[in-house]
Amino acid sequence: MAYIDYKYYSEQYVGEPLDEEAFPRYLRRAEEVIDSITRYAVKQKGLASFDDFVQEQVKTATAAQIEYYVINGLEVATDGKLPESFTVGKVSVTTGGGSAGNGGRSNAVAPKVRAALEQTGLLNRGVGVC
């Protein structure tokens, strides 16, 4: 089951405008990132198995990753390259391009994603003791 739907992204999160027809593609890429950085904990257990706070943080993180892709392009997800420049509203930013580093994964994750998930315990890479 999807972590969020188009209604959540557009009405609750109020992300950058995205065509509803394109939404499933962006959602899939965003969920791949969430699953990867949480070591597939949400995918394996199911979002509903977590308490309300964690569920909301996962939804926020998913929406933030979608918005990151809307702003930076889905190419960040596949080739790890940041755009040389982009414009949002009246603001234009030039980054100089280049690689996202670390195999394209470090900057392929929106900073807001980590911020949303860091208090949930889902980013803990520790190994439990039996």
Side-chain angles (χ1 to χ4, degrees):
M1 184 173 163
Y3 298 159
I4 64 171
D5 57 19
Y6 183 77
K7 184 176 180 179
Y8 179 93
Y9 176 78
S10 61
E11 294 179 17
Q12 287 185 264
Y13 183 79
V14 193
E16 286 293 316
L18 174 63
D19 182 42
E20 189 170 0
E21 290 181 17
F23 179 78
R25 183 172 179 223
Y26 283 79
L27 174 63
R28 178 71 181 120
R29 298 300 167 269
E31 286 179 342
E32 288 171 354
V33 168
I34 302 303
D35 290 340
S36 177
I37 67 173
T38 63
R39 297 176 54 187
Y40 297 88
V42 178
K43 187 171 191 159
Q44 290 175 347
K45 296 177 184 176
L47 185 59
S49 71
F50 294 93
D51 65 45
D52 291 344
F53 172 75
V54 173
Q55 288 183 43
E56 189 57 35
Q57 294 305 102
V58 169
K59 289 177 181 181
T60 297
T62 304
Q65 187 64 36
I66 291 170
E67 184 172 49
Y68 185 76
Y69 288 149
V70 169
I71 293 169
N72 293 301
L74 278 175
E75 296 79 22
V76 172
T78 56
D79 65 13
K81 295 196 180 187
L82 296 172
E84 291 186 24
S85 65
F86 61 90
T87 302
V88 178
K90 294 181 180 181
V91 178
S92 181
V93 177
T94 301
T95 65
S99 174
N102 291 335
R105 295 302 294 164
S106 66
N107 288 338
V109 179
K112 191 171 181 180
V113 169
R114 291 192 190 280
L117 296 177
E118 65 186 5
Q119 297 304 313
T120 65
L122 292 171
L123 298 181
N124 183 359
R125 297 285 183 166
V127 177
V129 178
C130 295

